[in-house]
Amino acid sequence: MSSFTVATVNVNGIRAAAKERSENNRGILPWLENTGVDVVLMQEVRADEKQTRQALEPALAAGWHLAQAPAEAKGRAGVGILSRTELKDVTVGFGHGEGEKGEEIPAAREFDGSGRYVEAVVASGIKDLGDVTVGSLYLPSGSAKTTKQDEKYRFLDAFAPFMHARSEAGRPTIIGGDWNICHRRADLKNWRTNRTKSGFLPTERAFLDHVLGVWPDEATQVGDAEDSGRNCNPAGGERDFYGAVDYTPGELAQARLAAGAATDPQWFDVMRRLDPESTDVFSWWTFRGQAFDTNAGWRIDLQVATEDVLKHARSAWVDKAEAFDLRWSDHSPVIVEYN
């Protein structure tokens, strides 16, 4: 039976990831050489295409194909796709001519040059699946009480209708990336102390409710008794947009809030669907302190897929380094095998 294996990883700078740190930590290149994955969705590349090709020269010479969307701001963001087979119909940005009517999402134009999204079509090799669109997403990280949080909210406003339009178009799609949001309390180690931090704000988690639904829970965790505690969530609720400086929810945000959590979701968090009960499977750990050693992490790197892809998902795992000094990024690859 044919298999199709996809990894998503925030490389934390491709030039740094490709460097040899020690005899035992030779960076991403040996990982690419030895991994069995077919597609690697990369985020935070932080390099232009020439620099990326130089950093990955041995891998490209060995047959990997590259598509990239660098950020206009040098040394910032940037996403890319590596594939063992040809990448077709490469598209930078999102929301341009989506849906059956070919409508555009004007709000998405703000992010065309930000290095936040690139997609391409690849052959899965799976007979009854065929070609699959694979997208690499680097959702803004945000930062509470700064304009970075405003940018994050504007991105969510534009990205939600793009996802709806894409699912309506009926194209088998995987969007892998650094989503920079933990959906549920099980997705980060220290959730209570992070309720006012970007990445676990009620408004952000409600966005994932909106596109993914609340499964495996019967109801949203946002604002429930455990979430609120004795004195309610210090970040407020799903309509408070805590942490913004100069952001006012517009029509797109208001429509999302009115729709609420998806009751019949068209997109699925593949790892969570395969492993609904896990509580300690994380993909990012700060370099500060002993977070990696104590597994005080966040599960913010996701592969989100349409239902026609999900039904082929067989296993998912985080390729976590065996020790802190063997890491070539502060994130670990999240890998899913489809067949």
Side-chain angles (χ1 to χ4, degrees), residues 8-10 177-179 181-192 194 199-200 221 269 271-272 275-286 290-303 316-322 327 329-335:
T8 183
V9 59
N10 179 317
D178 183 351
W179 290 71
I181 302 172
C182 284
H183 189 189
R184 302 169 66 245
R185 290 185 286 268
D187 292 333
L188 73 166
K189 188 75 167 183
N190 300 313
W191 66 268
R192 292 183 188 278
N194 282 291
F200 197 59
Q221 290 188 354
D269 176 349
M271 176 170 277
R272 181 57 72 196
D275 187 7
E277 302 301 328
S278 65
T279 59
D280 58 354
V281 179
F282 308 123
S283 61
W284 175 78
W285 305 260
T286 177
Q290 301 294 313
F292 185 80
D293 296 330
T294 60
N295 201 28
W298 297 51
R299 195 178 77 92
I300 54 178
D301 302 274
L302 312 177
Q303 288 193 40
W317 65 97
V318 176
D319 192 5
K320 184 180 179 183
E322 294 182 358
R327 307 170 73 190
S329 172
D330 52 349
H331 294 249
S332 291
V334 175
I335 303 175

Side-chain angles (χ1 to χ4, degrees), residues 141-210:
S141 60
S143 180
K145 301 187 183 301
T146 75
T147 55
K148 291 182 178 180
Q149 194 62 34
D150 295 22
E151 177 193 24
K152 188 172 190 176
Y153 286 140
R154 294 195 304 272
F155 191 98
L156 299 182
D157 290 348
F159 205 68
F162 162 72
M163 294 187 72
H164 295 322
R166 173 54 57 81
S167 63
E168 290 172 1
R171 293 164 55 182
T173 304
I174 301 167
I175 299 177
D178 183 351
W179 290 71
N180 267 314
I181 302 172
C182 284
H183 189 189
R184 302 169 66 245
R185 290 185 286 268
D187 292 333
L188 73 166
K189 188 75 167 183
N190 300 313
W191 66 268
R192 292 183 188 278
T193 56
N194 282 291
R195 286 179 293 171
T196 58
K197 303 290 179 62
S198 185
F200 197 59
L201 297 176
T203 42
E204 299 169 342
R205 295 156 59 201
F207 162 79
L208 289 183
D209 276 353
H210 178 69

Side-chain angles (χ1 to χ4, degrees), residues 307-324:
E307 187 172 13
D308 43 8
V309 177
L310 174 70
K311 69 182 183 180
H312 290 279
R314 296 296 177 262
S315 60
W317 65 97
V318 176
D319 192 5
K320 184 180 179 183
E322 294 182 358
F324 179 90

Side-chain angles (χ1 to χ4, degrees), residues 42-63:
M42 302 184 295
Q43 303 84 45
E44 207 169 356
V45 176
R46 300 208 304 253
D48 61 32
E49 187 164 344
K50 180 179 178 180
Q51 293 168 328
T52 301
R53 289 188 175 277
Q54 289 175 339
L56 295 176
E57 183 178 5
L60 299 177

